[in-house]
Amino acid sequence: MEEIALPRIGTVAAWRETARGLAARGVPAEAVLWRVGEAAPDLFGGNAAPKGAPVTLTLPRAALSEIECALHHSDPERFARAYGLVLRLSRGALRWGDRSDPALHKLLAQAKHVRRDIHKMHAFVRFREITAQGANRRAFAAWFEPDHPIVEPATPFFAKRFGDMDWVIATPSLTARFEGGRLSYTETEDRTPPPEDATEELWRTYFTHIFNPARLMVKAMTSEMPRKYWKNLPEARLIPEMIRQAPERARAMQEAMPLPAAAIAEKLRPAPKDLPEDVTLATMKPALDACRRCAIGPCATQGVAGEGATGARVMVVGEQPGEQEDLKGRPFVGPAGQLFDRCAQAAGLRREKIWLTNAVKHFKFAPRGKQRLHRAPNAGEVQACRWWLDLERKLVRPDLVVAMGATAAASLTGTGKELVERAGQVETLPDGTPCLITYHPAYLLRLPDRALAEARQAEFTRSLGLAAGWQSSGAGSGRQ
């Protein structure tokens, strides 16, 4: 068995040259004993290694990169495993990337561990200033304890990032030195971490200010910042107390925040019983034109009030006016309205016998040149406009409300989620009024799949048929 002693510095480069020479002599993987640095001789080492057919090493670029990365792992078997793999790959006995091979699978996993360790070193090295008085360049030192021997592949990052200063990064095995623009390595002799400097307190202050207690996730934090690194991090002494105080600080932040738009609108919105008596269905249109309860009103051409039978048993609620409705001041006169009319006629729902309106009374859009692109109202805008919808419900007093689309469902029931599952179902509003959930005709027009669009349109028509039955029979009516 042939014994190979690799140097502690330049280990991977030395392995590469040695492996190439062994392969050229036909030395099989099982006949080589690998070591790093000086070690006691092995009982079976020193004997002449058997020879076989010479092998010229030819590897894919990706394979060479992964193999050399894995050689920075701390596993003592890594060199033997890598040599055996390069022989098999070069002979065509193994395909690169075949994770069903145990040796290749382990090598790829170890390469991943090494890259993660390098990432941790880049993230958690903390330099302390050791500049000598009168020196031309500032000098810094750091102590770091990696899981694997990664000093050589990890430290060129610091040379690029901190090329304007001299620094030393010491680890239990090797020390990297960057002096005068030159990076070099020596075996570590002094394992004493450098003393704290004046910037430590500044760093702790910065860390305290960027710490967000409302987003604290201890498991995620300790996964990214393992506790084993804390002893060399200046901010680490603050972390336990900051974790303890996080719930109280998060509550204080929440109490100090301004109310969201939806909460403000709810505070401004009178309860239905307190609605003013001077606004009627006939006078609602000019009142809507002047409405500034949310930011949509000032941008729209005009408000769009509901229309239909003032004593309708069925009220149909859509999302908001579109461009045609905004220009004409009437609900459902654009393409979605035309589809609604066709489906309603097929279902036997007479438009002149219902009250047709929207959850939001103004057109929200984004200008694009001469075009105005539809934009969905947000929760605050829907809540602010619910004042008008409540007024319409109070004045019309429908026996059934039909919510077309997610915005209407959210305004009436409090949520617009899971609309597909809820479509065709009758829910009960807080005041006891039945509410039939269905699709919005604009949604049907946007569906790209023709078969799906036809199926959804059939469902929509059936829902309007339910409303038509309610309209004709007065089912559930509380009217005298």
Side-chain angles (χ1 to χ4, degrees):
M1 181 169 287
E2 187 164 342
E3 186 174 357
I4 305 296
L6 299 172
R8 297 188 186 279
I9 300 171
T11 307
V12 173
W15 175 89
R16 186 194 310 122
E17 293 302 317
T18 304
R20 187 178 292 116
L22 292 171
R25 291 190 286 120
V27 179
E30 62 273 13
V32 183
L33 181 65
W34 300 87
R35 301 183 184 280
V36 177
E38 297 180 2
D42 187 86
L43 179 64
F44 301 103
N47 299 322
K51 296 182 180 180
V55 178
T56 301
L57 299 185
T58 54
L59 301 173
R61 186 180 298 273
L64 181 61
S65 174
E66 288 292 292
I67 290 170
E68 294 195 350
C69 181
L71 289 175
H72 290 286
H73 199 275
S74 56
D75 181 3
E77 299 298 323
R78 62 194 184 276
F79 302 109
R81 182 181 302 108
Y83 180 56
L85 285 171
V86 298
L87 289 178
R88 293 165 61 200
L89 289 166
S90 298
R91 289 176 178 144
L94 176 66
R95 179 178 59 84
W96 175 251
D98 182 3
R99 291 180 178 270
S100 65
D101 182 86
L104 182 53
H105 180 82
K106 188 161 189 175
L107 181 139
L108 293 172
Q110 290 184 345
K112 183 178 180 179
H113 295 159
V114 168
R115 285 193 295 271
R116 180 173 176 80
D117 205 28
I118 292 173
H119 169 74
K120 295 300 183 187
M121 185 171 183
H122 292 167
F124 298 130
V125 161
R126 295 290 186 267
F127 285 108
R128 292 169 172 172
E129 188 163 8
I130 55 171
T131 305
Q133 189 173 4
N136 294 328
R137 283 166 60 95
R138 299 179 70 187
F140 296 81
W143 172 260
F144 188 74
E145 299 177 23
D147 290 335
H148 307 288
I150 58 168
V151 173
E152 291 181 88
T155 48
F157 164 85
F158 297 100
K160 292 180 180 179
R161 188 167 185 179
F162 304 111
D164 59 343
M165 66 187 197
D166 293 339
W167 50 260
V168 173
I169 300 177
T171 72
S173 57
L174 296 184
T175 296
R177 297 180 180 276
F178 187 77
E179 296 176 326
R182 179 175 173 272
L183 183 60
S184 61
Y185 303 97
T186 59
E187 293 191 33
T188 300
E189 297 179 358
D190 185 1
R191 291 176 170 79
T192 304
E196 290 193 8
D197 62 7
T199 63
E200 301 268 317
E201 191 59 35
L202 179 62
W203 175 257
R204 282 190 282 266
T205 301
Y206 169 73
F207 183 77
T208 302
H209 282 79
I210 65 170
F211 181 82
N212 186 348
R215 293 192 173 186
L216 175 64
M217 293 183 288
V218 176
K219 289 185 178 180
M221 182 186 72
T222 53
S223 174
E224 288 302 314
M225 185 190 290
R227 293 179 185 273
K228 66 180 180 179
Y229 298 123
W230 287 18
K231 62 181 178 180
N232 297 314
L233 300 177
E235 67 271 26
R237 69 179 66 171
L238 306 175
I239 294 175
E241 182 65 14
M242 294 174 77
I243 292 175
R244 188 186 68 80
Q245 295 179 352
E248 182 179 348
R249 289 182 59 194
R251 282 194 297 271
M253 289 171 60
Q254 188 174 16
E255 291 171 359
M257 289 177 62
L259 289 173
I264 295 173
E266 182 63 27
K267 286 181 176 292
L268 293 175
R269 183 176 67 88
K273 64 180 180 180
D274 299 326
L275 291 174
E277 299 295 335
D278 57 340
V279 178
T280 67
L281 295 175
T283 62
M284 185 177 291
K285 175 65 170 69
L288 278 172
D289 291 340
C291 179
R292 296 298 182 265
R293 293 180 64 83
C294 71
I296 305 178
C299 302
T301 305
Q302 58 187 316
V304 179
E307 65 178 28
T310 56
R313 295 186 183 277
V314 175
M315 173 184 284
V316 179
V317 182
E319 178 190 59
Q320 68 165 345
E323 184 172 37
Q324 293 301 314
E325 290 81 3
D326 173 73
L327 295 174
K328 297 179 180 179
R330 295 184 57 216
F332 287 89
V333 293
Q338 294 166 16
L339 177 58
F340 170 80
D341 287 340
R342 292 196 298 272
C343 293
Q345 184 177 5
L349 184 67
R350 300 173 59 186
R351 179 165 175 159
E352 68 274 12
K353 294 292 185 178
I354 65 173
W355 186 261
L356 188 58
T357 189
N358 284 294
V360 175
K361 310 302 185 184
H362 290 89
F363 176 42
K364 183 177 181 180
F365 64 90
R368 291 292 184 273
K370 295 182 179 181
Q371 292 184 318
R372 297 189 299 173
L373 303 183
H374 171 277
R375 288 291 179 266
N378 60 41
E381 292 158 350
V382 172
Q383 189 66 28
C385 211
R386 187 177 160 187
W387 189 92
W388 293 105
L389 187 57
D390 284 345
L391 177 59
E392 286 180 296
R393 289 182 56 204
K394 177 190 175 185
L395 297 174
V396 176
R397 296 172 53 229
D399 295 327
L400 174 72
V401 179
V402 180
M404 296 197 303
T407 298
S411 178
L412 290 161
T413 70
T415 178
K417 296 180 179 179
E418 299 178 347
L419 191 69
V420 173
E421 292 77 7
R422 297 165 66 191
Q425 303 297 317
V426 176
E427 302 178 7
T428 303
L429 301 182
D431 64 356
T433 305
C435 180
L436 174 62
I437 309 296
T438 189
Y439 305 112
H440 195 284
Y443 158 75
L444 303 176
L445 292 173
R446 291 194 299 267
L447 287 174
D449 187 291
R450 183 174 180 179
L452 179 61
E454 290 177 352
R456 291 282 192 265
Q457 184 171 321
E459 292 180 49
F460 177 64
T461 303
R462 284 195 295 271
S463 295
L464 296 184
L466 292 175
W470 207 290
Q471 180 188 59
S472 61
S473 66
S477 174
R479 300 168 188 268
Q480 302 298 322

